[in-house]
Amino acid sequence: MIPTPYLLFLGDAPDQLAAKVAQGIKDWRPENAVGQLRLPGCGADVGLTDMTLEEAKEAGAQTLVIGVANRGGVISQAWKEVLVKALEMGYDLASGLHNLLRDENDLVAAAKVNGRTLHDVRIPSVAYPIANGVKRSGKRCLAVGTDCSVGKMYTGLAMDAEMRKRGMKSTFRPTGQTGILITGGGVPLDAVVADFMAGAVEYLTPDNDDDHWDHIEGQGSLYHVSYSGVTMALVHGGQPDALVLSHEPTRAHMRGLPDYQQPSLEDLRDTALAMARVANPACQVIGISVNTQHLSEDEATAYLKEVEDRMGLPTVDPFRHGAGRLVDALEGL
Amino acid sequence: MIPTPYLLFLGDAPDQLAAKVAQGIKDWRPENAVGQLRLPGCGADVGLTDMTLEEAKEAGAQTLVIGVANRGGVISQAWKEVLVKALEMGYDLASGLHNLLRDENDLVAAAKVNGRTLHDVRIPSVAYPIANGVKRSGKRCLAVGTDCSVGKMYTGLAMDAEMRKRGMKSTFRPTGQTGILITGGGVPLDAVVADFMAGAVEYLTPDNDDDHWDHIEGQGSLYHVSYSGVTMALVHGGQPDALVLSHEPTRAHMRGLPDYQQPSLEDLRDTALAMARVANPACQVIGISVNTQHLSEDEATAYLKEVEDRMGLPTVDPFRHGAGRLVDALEGL
């Protein structure tokens, strides 16, 4: 686990989109962030108090999180002065960039001298077991997509937030670097060695109270040929009791694969449910989450109604309309 | 690629089963082995000429292959004298053991001094790409199993051997350590990082002549919850034109998973074919390979006939009856 609370480093982010990791932390775990630190020329603002390293330390911050992604995912030389100073002041550093903190000699040296930890959340820090398939107590929900990047993480975070608002027992279980930075822990599943993928998901979602729900962050798609193996490990390692189908209706083709079309929601439902029932025969598809960001309000409403009528399942855009109806659908399970 | 031919090191193998890697090389690529080297007390014999390091060197051997697995997969101290001497004489070493050659300081030192290479075939030696899903030329066949360890590798090797006997263009494409040692190259798929699994399979099976067949070694099972993600990466990365269903009919439960039963051949057919057609809409299930080693000849014959009648597909045990009928079934594709 990464020590919280954080100070969010926005650096010299050119625009708001470059700060989406920091924005995710602010949106979903505001209690995890005491403020933001911006360098001159920063074009992003996640709406937290601007603080110096000293001010944030005073406010209790324990880790400086690199909440910005620049082109190529590199650690800019312009950031180094702040990062080294943070280590000297007793901060840990955390990053989800491709360019690892541990590959920067000056950061490694400063961390060592000051007894601090560099958290590269893209790299597994645990020797995960091989999955044993043994039935675990507690309930689990997994979003499976017609494609990559259709809103699976958002769906899981929104359902978790809604359940906790209702006083239900719920935990969001991150499987990618953004989710791990938001919550402070998880499994970077796409970086796990093949044999241990499903075991890593079992590790992430252990036995729990019978009325507790894990919302497991989905990855990839069973229909995305580059990443389908990762998705399969989630379906089997996660032993979900409930699946949510996630979809983005305006894609011309599968993400990054110009020759591939998205499957229908019917095909996704049938395939994912059959595979999920290998690990959990009681699994149900409980609803559909649609990312309607590229549709007008009227188009979105019409599309959601059409899908809901066709599929006979609660169909919502959790960003526009909240995840309440998806959580309602879990209550009977 | 591992330099061939090999001298096969059987060490102090307690019995024939412990030498199954060496036996596989002898059975499938006899041209890759000049002889065998046995230590006092060795209980295995793969039927090659016993040779000293000097005799095998004289006969052209370039690599000493550890063709034996002892309990725990460790590199025994009793072997070290021979292994170090081999490096000093100009041999490379190759091993598929869990205990890596590169983790043994004396072997690393001897390899360095003598300019030799240690081939740990469990560890990927290539930075594989992310799969791009682009259609490749040439044909590919993949065996998919109802369970792990049901004869998928054997089926692929037998079909490859039969095709080459007929003068057809064919290559066996290993995805596990035994297959890699047999042929001298391949991808240790279960050790590849999740994001790159399907890309590793694309890398392994590149564009080829239109009438060339790759026989891709299968791994795991879509129905084995520990390893299904690896299997999925083979189904999508391999873009198979042909699937062979592989089955072992006497299992009480899925291998290593007492609470899980094998799927029916019908379920395997439908699931694997639907998933394979995402990457290759022309894919066909062309036959069934049954491992009948635990059945009598009469039982085997009756079982194969029953499955063939039920499924309407050529059904053979390639070990007992050869892979000819499976290869016949490929010829029309």
Side-chain angles (χ1 to χ4, degrees), chain A residues 78-329:
Chain A
W79 303 351
K80 282 291 183 64
E81 189 181 340
V82 176
L83 301 184
V84 170
K85 185 174 168 197
L87 290 166
E88 289 169 353
M89 290 176 61
Y91 285 89
D92 280 2
L93 298 185
S95 163
L97 298 176
H98 277 289
N99 178 180
L100 303 180
L101 297 167
R102 70 187 64 175
D103 288 340
E104 299 295 308
N105 291 336
D106 43 1
L107 300 181
V108 171
K112 189 167 180 194
V113 167
N114 297 285
R116 308 316 309 166
T117 301
L118 304 176
H119 304 272
D120 285 304
V121 301
R122 277 184 189 267
I123 305 295
S125 55
V126 171
Y128 302 112
I130 286 178
N132 63 25
V134 174
K135 176 73 181 159
R136 306 191 292 289
S137 55
K139 301 284 190 184
R140 287 159 197 87
C141 181
L142 173 69
V144 291
T146 51
D147 194 358
C148 300
S149 307
V150 292
K152 297 185 295 293
M153 180 181 80
Y154 194 99
T155 300
L157 282 162
M159 291 179 74
D160 171 58
E162 174 69 20
M163 290 189 93
R164 290 190 290 134
K165 202 171 80 183
R166 296 186 187 184
M168 299 169 73
K169 297 177 188 169
S170 171
T171 309
F172 179 70
R173 300 294 191 184
T175 60
Q177 66 270 11
T178 302
I180 295 171
L181 287 172
I182 288 173
T183 66
V187 166
L189 191 59
D190 61 9
V192 171
V193 166
D195 246 3
F196 304 99
M197 294 186 297
V201 180
E202 291 186 351
Y203 171 94
L204 180 68
T205 60
D207 280 322
N208 216 316
D209 295 344
D210 287 343
D211 58 346
H212 176 279
W213 281 90
D214 277 335
H215 295 278
I216 307 171
E217 183 188 351
Q219 295 291 338
S221 166
L222 291 173
Y223 287 83
H224 194 294
V225 296
S226 308
Y227 307 115
S228 53
V230 181
T231 313
M232 184 62 108
L234 281 160
V235 170
H236 281 166
Q239 299 181 351
D241 300 274
L243 296 175
V244 175
L245 310 181
S246 294
H247 185 52
E248 203 283 76
T250 70
R251 295 271 166 92
H253 57 73
M254 294 289 278
R255 189 174 167 89
L257 303 174
D259 300 335
Y260 291 78
Q261 298 303 307
Q262 285 177 285
S264 68
L265 283 162
E266 287 86 346
D267 281 349
L268 174 63
R269 175 195 62 201
D270 294 345
T271 299
L273 190 58
M275 286 289 92
R277 284 182 171 169
V278 170
N280 185 348
C283 185
Q284 307 268 358
V285 175
I286 61 96
I288 300 172
S289 157
V290 180
N291 177 344
T292 63
Q293 66 175 312
H294 299 300
L295 301 181
S296 70
E297 185 69 35
D298 283 354
E299 288 170 332
T301 303
Y303 183 81
L304 293 170
K305 178 172 187 322
E306 184 270 312
V307 172
E308 178 150 343
D309 290 347
R310 198 179 91 217
M311 302 288 292
L313 289 165
T315 302
V316 301
D317 181 337
F319 185 80
R320 272 189 152 138
H321 312 114
R325 294 184 64 218
L326 298 176
V327 170
D328 294 345

Side-chain angles (χ1 to χ4, degrees), chain B residues 23-31 153-154 157-158 161 164 182:
Chain B
Q23 191 66 54
I25 297 169
K26 161 62 164 46
D27 289 347
W28 296 106
R29 292 290 183 279
E31 69 275 21
M153 183 181 78
Y154 193 98
L157 282 162
R164 290 190 290 134
I182 288 173

Side-chain angles (χ1 to χ4, degrees), chain B residues 308-320:
Chain B
E308 178 151 343
D309 290 349
R310 196 178 92 217
M311 301 290 291
L313 289 166
T315 302
V316 302
D317 180 337
F319 185 81
R320 272 186 151 140

